[in-house]
């Protein structure tokens, strides 16, 4: 179903949608950077300090054998530089996400009768569910000092596979929701897509291999605080993206024409 004629977003050109998406993405990226700085960076510092302490406690026989010392392996960018670049990184990520989000909005608006603001919030929620939540609960984020460098390519591909799984699960749920939209029972309209989503996710989780490279001596509290801060950062990014786009849509719809 196309958007109702009263929906402002249905009459907007793709260029205006793209600009709106970029602005919303920039706002979301900056806010997500703030959350990452406040909640995440202290845990990153703690994990790095733990890694350095473990490295200092290890014997340095490998240096005599031609290896590199810890100082030689220091990052090219200092921690202060990394923290300063955090907001730039999240802002750029927000801009890229906002552009993709606007493209999806451009096509999705033709298939629903939802208002522009409602569609914006719905797509943001589905995007977070598919791209963040599904991969996170299979392969949660790990802080520094966790993970074998030799398996980074494998872990990257498995994470991408989890993203594809999330997108597939959401697509199946949306398809099922459309098929049962005319059902008289509200419970069926809710349960059917949720069940379809869960079935796809459970099958995908069972098919994907598990990875656990967290050492037994790594503090469990630090690990889960880092993971929760990562989840909060991504939730902020998607929530702010949807809310900002919805606000900009309503603002444009209520703007009185000049003259």
């Amino acid at each position: 179903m196309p958007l109702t004629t009263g929906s402002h977003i249905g009459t907007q050109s793709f260029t205006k949608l793209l600009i709106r998406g970029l602005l919303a993405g920039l706002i979301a990226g900056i806010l997500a950077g703030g959350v990452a700085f406040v909640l995440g960076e202290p845990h990153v510092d703690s994990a790095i300090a733990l890694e350095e302490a473990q490295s200092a406690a290890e014997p340095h026989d490998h240096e005599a054998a031609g290896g590199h010392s810890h100082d030689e392996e220091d990052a090219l960018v200092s921690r202060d530089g990394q923290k300063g670049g955090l907001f730039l990184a999240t802002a750029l990520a927000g801009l890229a996400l906002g552009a993709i989000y606007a493209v999806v909005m451009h096509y999705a608006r033709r298939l629903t009768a939802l208002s522009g603001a409602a569609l914006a919030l719905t797509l943001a929620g589905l995007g977070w569910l598919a791209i963040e939540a599904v991969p996170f609960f299979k392969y949660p984020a790990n802080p520094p000092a966790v993970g074998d460098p030799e398996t980074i390519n494998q872990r990257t591909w498995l994470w991408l596979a989890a993203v594809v799984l999330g997108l597939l699960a959401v697509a199946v749920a949306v398809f099922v929701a459309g098929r049962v939209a005319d059902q008289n029972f509200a419970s069926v309209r809710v349960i059917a897509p949720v069940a379809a989503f869960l079935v796809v996710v459970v099958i995908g989780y069972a098919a994907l291999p598990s990875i656990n490279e967290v050492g037994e001596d790594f503090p469990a509290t630090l690990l889960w605080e880092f993971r929760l801060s990562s989840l909060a950062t991504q939730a902020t990014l998607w929530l702010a993206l949807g809310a900002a786009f919805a606000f900009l849509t309503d603002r444009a719809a209520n703007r009185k024409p000049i003259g």
Side-chain angles (χ1 to χ4, degrees), residues 150-203:
E150 295 183 358
T151 64
I152 187 170
N153 289 333
Q154 178 191 13
R155 287 183 280 121
T156 299
W157 283 110
L158 288 176
W159 178 83
L160 289 174
V163 171
V164 173
L165 172 64
L167 292 171
L168 176 62
V170 167
V172 170
V174 170
F175 174 78
V176 172
R179 299 291 291 181
V180 300
D182 295 331
Q183 290 290 326
N184 294 327
F185 297 102
S187 58
V188 174
R189 297 196 298 269
V190 173
I191 294 174
V194 171
F197 172 84
L198 292 176
V199 167
V200 175
V201 170
V202 169
I203 293 175

Side-chain angles (χ1 to χ4, degrees), residues 4 11 15 37 39 42 90 100 120 155 159 195 206 209 244 254:
T4 57
T11 62
T15 301
F37 184 83
L39 298 183
T90 57
I100 298 173
R155 287 183 280 121
W159 178 83
N254 294 326

Side-chain angles (χ1 to χ4, degrees), residues 49-63 70 217:
L50 179 62
E51 182 181 30
E52 292 176 345
Q54 291 174 343
S55 298
E58 293 175 355
H60 298 283
D61 293 341
H62 66 286
E63 295 179 20
H70 178 72
D217 58 341

Side-chain angles (χ1 to χ4, degrees), residues 102-156:
V103 173
V104 176
M105 285 287 299
H106 176 64
Y107 291 100
R109 63 184 182 175
R110 306 174 183 179
L111 305 174
T112 178
L114 291 175
S115 67
L119 179 59
L121 293 172
T122 299
L123 282 182
L126 293 177
W128 174 83
L129 188 63
I131 299 176
E132 301 299 338
V134 171
F136 176 86
F137 288 105
K138 180 63 178 179
Y139 302 118
N142 288 325
V146 173
D148 184 354
E150 295 183 358
T151 64
I152 187 170
N153 289 333
Q154 178 191 13
R155 287 183 280 121
T156 299

Side-chain angles (χ1 to χ4, degrees), residues 210-225:
S210 298
I211 295 180
N212 183 12
E213 297 182 346
V214 181
E216 295 181 358
D217 58 341
F218 194 89
T221 300
L222 175 59
L223 175 65
W224 283 104
E225 286 179 346

